[in-house]
Amino acid sequence: MAYTPQINIIAVVDVIGALSGGTLHNGNLCLVDNAGEESTGQGTAHLRTAVRPGQVVQWSALAVDLQTPVEIRSITFLGEDGVATPATRTAADGDGDKLDLAHWAGVVPPSLPSGTPFKYRLELQMYEGRYSVLHVDSPALIGV
């Protein structure tokens, strides 16, 4: 497979379904990437994106209903024990309290081991209020 310098991951969200059910699972989140056949779980919340050291990975969020807002609130990389690692980016980083992350990008580190899933928490903001932030811990980057 040809080397792609940038991998794009798109989170397509049924905002009304997610807020009504209180979850991004049950078909409310569809993750897809352009990494090719080496990725698995396309179209589910369990996407395993195949990446190579030095590649840029860019996440974007889109609502199924274009009149409902959804934005990336944070992406947190998780250790093997499921605990957050220091490589975390939130909407407040560098922007005060402004939430405006339609896209988030990072570079795959050379230390990413081949074949081991590197899980991350994808936290999405939908509207405002107490129950407007939902997350999944199921997607991962996997070195190839």
Side-chain angles (χ1 to χ4, degrees):
M1 175 175 204
Y3 174 79
T4 304
Q6 179 170 311
I7 299 297
N8 297 299
I9 299 172
I10 300 179
V12 181
V13 183
D14 176 356
V15 174
I16 295 168
L19 292 175
S20 296
T23 182
L24 289 169
H25 291 285
N26 301 331
N28 295 322
L29 175 65
C30 171
L31 294 168
V32 294
D33 67 35
N34 67 330
E37 296 175 5
E38 294 173 306
S39 291
T40 61
Q42 294 279 359
T44 72
H46 304 281
L47 179 66
R48 299 286 190 261
T49 301
V51 296
R52 290 170 174 73
Q55 280 183 310
V56 173
V57 179
Q58 178 174 291
W59 287 263
S60 302
L62 297 171
V64 171
D65 174 358
L66 298 179
Q67 296 179 9
T68 55
V70 61
E71 295 178 339
I72 298 170
R73 182 166 175 97
S74 69
I75 295 176
T76 306
F77 290 93
L78 307 173
E80 289 181 27
D81 55 1
V83 176
T85 65
T88 300
R89 169 80 162 114
T90 66
D93 292 346
D95 296 325
D97 291 326
K98 182 180 177 188
L99 177 64
D100 188 19
L101 288 180
H103 306 284
W104 188 91
V107 177
V108 176
S111 60
L112 184 69
S114 181
T116 303
F118 191 39
K119 288 184 128 184
Y120 59 89
R121 174 175 295 149
L122 176 62
E123 187 174 69
L124 300 171
Q125 173 92 39
M126 296 159 278
Y127 294 107
E128 295 179 5
R130 184 174 176 183
Y131 302 104
S132 64
V133 178
L134 297 173
H135 73 272
V136 292
D137 289 347
S138 51
L141 302 179
I142 188 161
V144 292

PDB file of all heavy atoms in Angstrom, residues 40-65:
ATOM      1  N   THR A  40      -9.225  -1.507  10.766  1.00  0.00           N
ATOM      2  CA  THR A  40     -10.371  -2.378  11.024  1.00  0.00           C
ATOM      3  C   THR A  40     -11.440  -1.604  11.794  1.00  0.00           C
ATOM      4  O   THR A  40     -11.145  -0.579  12.405  1.00  0.00           O
ATOM      5  CB  THR A  40      -9.969  -3.629  11.828  1.00  0.00           C
ATOM      6  OG1 THR A  40      -9.434  -3.222  13.088  1.00  0.00           O
ATOM      7  CG2 THR A  40      -8.952  -4.473  11.075  1.00  0.00           C
ATOM      8  N   GLY A  41     -12.659  -2.099  11.752  1.00  0.00           N
ATOM      9  CA  GLY A  41     -13.746  -1.466  12.496  1.00  0.00           C
ATOM     10  C   GLY A  41     -14.310  -0.228  11.826  1.00  0.00           C
ATOM     11  O   GLY A  41     -14.949   0.599  12.493  1.00  0.00           O
ATOM     12  N   GLN A  42     -14.097  -0.104  10.518  1.00  0.00           N
ATOM     13  CA  GLN A  42     -14.640   1.046   9.799  1.00  0.00           C
ATOM     14  C   GLN A  42     -16.149   1.136  10.008  1.00  0.00           C
ATOM     15  O   GLN A  42     -16.845   0.140   9.941  1.00  0.00           O
ATOM     16  CB  GLN A  42     -14.348   0.936   8.299  1.00  0.00           C
ATOM     17  CG  GLN A  42     -12.891   1.020   7.927  1.00  0.00           C
ATOM     18  CD  GLN A  42     -12.358   2.446   7.858  1.00  0.00           C
ATOM     19  OE1 GLN A  42     -13.050   3.426   8.070  1.00  0.00           O
ATOM     20  NE2 GLN A  42     -11.071   2.545   7.563  1.00  0.00           N
ATOM     21  N   GLY A  43     -16.639   2.344  10.272  1.00  0.00           N
ATOM     22  CA  GLY A  43     -18.073   2.559  10.421  1.00  0.00           C
ATOM     23  C   GLY A  43     -18.612   2.258  11.799  1.00  0.00           C
ATOM     24  O   GLY A  43     -19.814   2.280  12.010  1.00  0.00           O
ATOM     25  N   THR A  44     -17.729   1.958  12.758  1.00  0.00           N
ATOM     26  CA  THR A  44     -18.149   1.656  14.131  1.00  0.00           C
ATOM     27  C   THR A  44     -17.429   2.596  15.100  1.00  0.00           C
ATOM     28  O   THR A  44     -16.561   3.376  14.713  1.00  0.00           O
ATOM     29  CB  THR A  44     -17.799   0.207  14.522  1.00  0.00           C
ATOM     30  OG1 THR A  44     -16.378   0.095  14.707  1.00  0.00           O
ATOM     31  CG2 THR A  44     -18.262  -0.789  13.470  1.00  0.00           C
ATOM     32  N   ALA A  45     -17.751   2.480  16.371  1.00  0.00           N
ATOM     33  CA  ALA A  45     -17.056   3.232  17.417  1.00  0.00           C
ATOM     34  C   ALA A  45     -15.763   2.532  17.839  1.00  0.00           C
ATOM     35  O   ALA A  45     -15.054   3.005  18.715  1.00  0.00           O
ATOM     36  CB  ALA A  45     -17.968   3.413  18.628  1.00  0.00           C
ATOM     37  N   HIS A  46     -15.444   1.405  17.194  1.00  0.00           N
ATOM     38  CA  HIS A  46     -14.277   0.594  17.547  1.00  0.00           C
ATOM     39  C   HIS A  46     -13.212   0.626  16.454  1.00  0.00           C
ATOM     40  O   HIS A  46     -12.514  -0.370  16.242  1.00  0.00           O
ATOM     41  CB  HIS A  46     -14.712  -0.847  17.814  1.00  0.00           C
ATOM     42  CG  HIS A  46     -15.767  -0.942  18.869  1.00  0.00           C
ATOM     43  ND1 HIS A  46     -15.492  -0.861  20.210  1.00  0.00           N
ATOM     44  CD2 HIS A  46     -17.113  -1.075  18.769  1.00  0.00           C
ATOM     45  CE1 HIS A  46     -16.617  -0.950  20.899  1.00  0.00           C
ATOM     46  NE2 HIS A  46     -17.621  -1.079  20.043  1.00  0.00           N
ATOM     47  N   LEU A  47     -13.082   1.735  15.767  1.00  0.00           N
ATOM     48  CA  LEU A  47     -12.122   1.867  14.675  1.00  0.00           C
ATOM     49  C   LEU A  47     -10.692   1.682  15.178  1.00  0.00           C
ATOM     50  O   LEU A  47     -10.300   2.242  16.199  1.00  0.00           O
ATOM     51  CB  LEU A  47     -12.255   3.252  14.028  1.00  0.00           C
ATOM     52  CG  LEU A  47     -11.297   3.560  12.888  1.00  0.00           C
ATOM     53  CD1 LEU A  47     -11.564   2.667  11.678  1.00  0.00           C
ATOM     54  CD2 LEU A  47     -11.408   5.034  12.493  1.00  0.00           C
ATOM     55  N   ARG A  48      -9.926   0.865  14.466  1.00  0.00           N
ATOM     56  CA  ARG A  48      -8.489   0.691  14.700  1.00  0.00           C
ATOM     57  C   ARG A  48      -7.807   1.232  13.450  1.00  0.00           C
ATOM     58  O   ARG A  48      -7.825   0.603  12.401  1.00  0.00           O
ATOM     59  CB  ARG A  48      -8.123  -0.780  14.895  1.00  0.00           C
ATOM     60  CG  ARG A  48      -8.779  -1.447  16.080  1.00  0.00           C
ATOM     61  CD  ARG A  48      -8.132  -0.959  17.377  1.00  0.00           C
ATOM     62  NE  ARG A  48      -8.555  -1.729  18.527  1.00  0.00           N
ATOM     63  CZ  ARG A  48      -9.505  -1.335  19.369  1.00  0.00           C
ATOM     64  NH1 ARG A  48     -10.165  -0.228  19.138  1.00  0.00           N
ATOM     65  NH2 ARG A  48      -9.810  -2.055  20.412  1.00  0.00           N
ATOM     66  N   THR A  49      -7.227   2.421  13.566  1.00  0.00           N
ATOM     67  CA  THR A  49      -6.623   3.097  12.422  1.00  0.00           C
ATOM     68  C   THR A  49      -5.165   2.707  12.282  1.00  0.00           C
ATOM     69  O   THR A  49      -4.374   2.899  13.212  1.00  0.00           O
ATOM     70  CB  THR A  49      -6.734   4.624  12.579  1.00  0.00           C
ATOM     71  OG1 THR A  49      -8.124   4.969  12.677  1.00  0.00           O
ATOM     72  CG2 THR A  49      -6.111   5.343  11.405  1.00  0.00           C
ATOM     73  N   ALA A  50      -4.803   2.168  11.124  1.00  0.00           N
ATOM     74  CA  ALA A  50      -3.420   1.783  10.849  1.00  0.00           C
ATOM     75  C   ALA A  50      -2.598   3.035  10.559  1.00  0.00           C
ATOM     76  O   ALA A  50      -2.955   3.839   9.698  1.00  0.00           O
ATOM     77  CB  ALA A  50      -3.377   0.843   9.646  1.00  0.00           C
ATOM     78  N   VAL A  51      -1.511   3.215  11.318  1.00  0.00           N
ATOM     79  CA  VAL A  51      -0.655   4.396  11.173  1.00  0.00           C
ATOM     80  C   VAL A  51       0.814   3.999  11.147  1.00  0.00           C
ATOM     81  O   VAL A  51       1.188   2.909  11.597  1.00  0.00           O
ATOM     82  CB  VAL A  51      -0.890   5.415  12.313  1.00  0.00           C
ATOM     83  CG1 VAL A  51      -2.307   5.973  12.271  1.00  0.00           C
ATOM     84  CG2 VAL A  51      -0.608   4.793  13.678  1.00  0.00           C
ATOM     85  N   ARG A  52       1.617   4.906  10.628  1.00  0.00           N
ATOM     86  CA  ARG A  52       3.071   4.735  10.584  1.00  0.00           C
ATOM     87  C   ARG A  52       3.738   5.915  11.272  1.00  0.00           C
ATOM     88  O   ARG A  52       3.191   7.023  11.242  1.00  0.00           O
ATOM     89  CB  ARG A  52       3.537   4.636   9.131  1.00  0.00           C
ATOM     90  CG  ARG A  52       3.105   3.340   8.467  1.00  0.00           C
ATOM     91  CD  ARG A  52       3.359   3.329   6.964  1.00  0.00           C
ATOM     92  NE  ARG A  52       3.065   2.031   6.380  1.00  0.00           N
ATOM     93  CZ  ARG A  52       1.846   1.534   6.195  1.00  0.00           C
ATOM     94  NH1 ARG A  52       0.796   2.221   6.542  1.00  0.00           N
ATOM     95  NH2 ARG A  52       1.678   0.345   5.666  1.00  0.00           N
ATOM     96  N   PRO A  53       4.907   5.706  11.889  1.00  0.00           N
ATOM     97  CA  PRO A  53       5.614   6.815  12.531  1.00  0.00           C
ATOM     98  C   PRO A  53       5.805   7.984  11.562  1.00  0.00           C
ATOM     99  O   PRO A  53       6.113   7.792  10.390  1.00  0.00           O
ATOM    100  CB  PRO A  53       6.955   6.208  12.928  1.00  0.00           C
ATOM    101  CG  PRO A  53       6.653   4.749  13.107  1.00  0.00           C
ATOM    102  CD  PRO A  53       5.624   4.434  12.045  1.00  0.00           C
ATOM    103  N   GLY A  54       5.559   9.192  12.069  1.00  0.00           N
ATOM    104  CA  GLY A  54       5.724  10.397  11.280  1.00  0.00           C
ATOM    105  C   GLY A  54       4.485  10.843  10.535  1.00  0.00           C
ATOM    106  O   GLY A  54       4.428  11.968  10.042  1.00  0.00           O
ATOM    107  N   GLN A  55       3.480   9.984  10.435  1.00  0.00           N
ATOM    108  CA  GLN A  55       2.242  10.391   9.764  1.00  0.00           C
ATOM    109  C   GLN A  55       1.473  11.390  10.627  1.00  0.00           C
ATOM    110  O   GLN A  55       1.487  11.316  11.852  1.00  0.00           O
ATOM    111  CB  GLN A  55       1.324   9.195   9.497  1.00  0.00           C
ATOM    112  CG  GLN A  55       1.697   8.384   8.299  1.00  0.00           C
ATOM    113  CD  GLN A  55       0.707   7.262   8.045  1.00  0.00           C
ATOM    114  OE1 GLN A  55       0.388   6.503   8.951  1.00  0.00           O
ATOM    115  NE2 GLN A  55       0.262   7.138   6.809  1.00  0.00           N
ATOM    116  N   VAL A  56       0.789  12.307   9.973  1.00  0.00           N
ATOM    117  CA  VAL A  56      -0.130  13.210  10.652  1.00  0.00           C
ATOM    118  C   VAL A  56      -1.488  12.526  10.691  1.00  0.00           C
ATOM    119  O   VAL A  56      -1.935  11.971   9.689  1.00  0.00           O
ATOM    120  CB  VAL A  56      -0.232  14.562   9.912  1.00  0.00           C
ATOM    121  CG1 VAL A  56      -1.315  15.439  10.514  1.00  0.00           C
ATOM    122  CG2 VAL A  56       1.118  15.276   9.917  1.00  0.00           C
ATOM    123  N   VAL A  57      -2.116  12.552  11.861  1.00  0.00           N
ATOM    124  CA  VAL A  57      -3.467  12.028  12.009  1.00  0.00           C
ATOM    125  C   VAL A  57      -4.357  13.218  12.340  1.00  0.00           C
ATOM    126  O   VAL A  57      -4.073  13.967  13.273  1.00  0.00           O
ATOM    127  CB  VAL A  57      -3.562  10.971  13.125  1.00  0.00           C
ATOM    128  CG1 VAL A  57      -4.992  10.459  13.261  1.00  0.00           C
ATOM    129  CG2 VAL A  57      -2.605   9.819  12.854  1.00  0.00           C
ATOM    130  N   GLN A  58      -5.415  13.390  11.549  1.00  0.00           N
ATOM    131  CA  GLN A  58      -6.343  14.495  11.784  1.00  0.00           C
ATOM    132  C   GLN A  58      -7.737  13.950  12.021  1.00  0.00           C
ATOM    133  O   GLN A  58      -8.240  13.153  11.231  1.00  0.00           O
ATOM    134  CB  GLN A  58      -6.378  15.455  10.602  1.00  0.00           C
ATOM    135  CG  GLN A  58      -7.378  16.590  10.817  1.00  0.00           C
ATOM    136  CD  GLN A  58      -7.331  17.619   9.727  1.00  0.00           C
ATOM    137  OE1 GLN A  58      -6.352  18.341   9.610  1.00  0.00           O
ATOM    138  NE2 GLN A  58      -8.369  17.678   8.920  1.00  0.00           N
ATOM    139  N   TRP A  59      -8.341  14.383  13.140  1.00  0.00           N
ATOM    140  CA  TRP A  59      -9.702  14.004  13.486  1.00  0.00           C
ATOM    141  C   TRP A  59     -10.639  15.154  13.159  1.00  0.00           C
ATOM    142  O   TRP A  59     -10.313  16.314  13.394  1.00  0.00           O
ATOM    143  CB  TRP A  59      -9.824  13.707  14.979  1.00  0.00           C
ATOM    144  CG  TRP A  59      -9.211  12.441  15.448  1.00  0.00           C
ATOM    145  CD1 TRP A  59      -9.851  11.249  15.645  1.00  0.00           C
ATOM    146  CD2 TRP A  59      -7.848  12.218  15.833  1.00  0.00           C
ATOM    147  NE1 TRP A  59      -8.971  10.312  16.127  1.00  0.00           N
ATOM    148  CE2 TRP A  59      -7.731  10.878  16.252  1.00  0.00           C
ATOM    149  CE3 TRP A  59      -6.715  13.029  15.868  1.00  0.00           C
ATOM    150  CZ2 TRP A  59      -6.545  10.326  16.699  1.00  0.00           C
ATOM    151  CZ3 TRP A  59      -5.519  12.485  16.306  1.00  0.00           C
ATOM    152  CH2 TRP A  59      -5.445  11.148  16.711  1.00  0.00           C
ATOM    153  N   SER A  60     -11.818  14.829  12.656  1.00  0.00           N
ATOM    154  CA  SER A  60     -12.877  15.800  12.396  1.00  0.00           C
ATOM    155  C   SER A  60     -14.185  15.211  12.888  1.00  0.00           C
ATOM    156  O   SER A  60     -14.364  13.995  12.880  1.00  0.00           O
ATOM    157  CB  SER A  60     -13.005  16.091  10.897  1.00  0.00           C
ATOM    158  OG  SER A  60     -11.805  16.570  10.372  1.00  0.00           O
ATOM    159  N   ALA A  61     -15.107  16.079  13.283  1.00  0.00           N
ATOM    160  CA  ALA A  61     -16.426  15.636  13.729  1.00  0.00           C
ATOM    161  C   ALA A  61     -17.498  16.267  12.854  1.00  0.00           C
ATOM    162  O   ALA A  61     -17.439  17.451  12.549  1.00  0.00           O
ATOM    163  CB  ALA A  61     -16.645  16.022  15.188  1.00  0.00           C
ATOM    164  N   LEU A  62     -18.465  15.444  12.451  1.00  0.00           N
ATOM    165  CA  LEU A  62     -19.595  15.894  11.645  1.00  0.00           C
ATOM    166  C   LEU A  62     -20.879  15.334  12.236  1.00  0.00           C
ATOM    167  O   LEU A  62     -20.915  14.178  12.657  1.00  0.00           O
ATOM    168  CB  LEU A  62     -19.475  15.391  10.207  1.00  0.00           C
ATOM    169  CG  LEU A  62     -18.294  15.856   9.379  1.00  0.00           C
ATOM    170  CD1 LEU A  62     -18.232  15.074   8.071  1.00  0.00           C
ATOM    171  CD2 LEU A  62     -18.398  17.340   9.100  1.00  0.00           C
ATOM    172  N   ALA A  63     -21.924  16.138  12.250  1.00  0.00           N
ATOM    173  CA  ALA A  63     -23.234  15.673  12.702  1.00  0.00           C
ATOM    174  C   ALA A  63     -24.013  15.122  11.517  1.00  0.00           C
ATOM    175  O   ALA A  63     -23.914  15.653  10.410  1.00  0.00           O
ATOM    176  CB  ALA A  63     -24.003  16.814  13.351  1.00  0.00           C
ATOM    177  N   VAL A  64     -24.774  14.051  11.746  1.00  0.00           N
ATOM    178  CA  VAL A  64     -25.628  13.486  10.701  1.00  0.00           C
ATOM    179  C   VAL A  64     -26.627  14.548  10.255  1.00  0.00           C
ATOM    180  O   VAL A  64     -26.838  14.767   9.074  1.00  0.00           O
ATOM    181  CB  VAL A  64     -26.364  12.226  11.202  1.00  0.00           C
ATOM    182  CG1 VAL A  64     -27.400  11.760  10.201  1.00  0.00           C
ATOM    183  CG2 VAL A  64     -25.370  11.121  11.487  1.00  0.00           C
ATOM    184  N   ASP A  65     -27.253  15.205  11.212  1.00  0.00           N
ATOM    185  CA  ASP A  65     -28.162  16.309  10.939  1.00  0.00           C
ATOM    186  C   ASP A  65     -27.321  17.578  10.983  1.00  0.00           C
ATOM    187  O   ASP A  65     -26.849  17.980  12.041  1.00  0.00           O
ATOM    188  CB  ASP A  65     -29.261  16.355  12.003  1.00  0.00           C
ATOM    189  CG  ASP A  65     -30.170  17.565  11.873  1.00  0.00           C
ATOM    190  OD1 ASP A  65     -29.951  18.408  10.977  1.00  0.00           O
ATOM    191  OD2 ASP A  65     -31.109  17.674  12.675  1.00  0.00           O
TER     192      ASP A  65
END
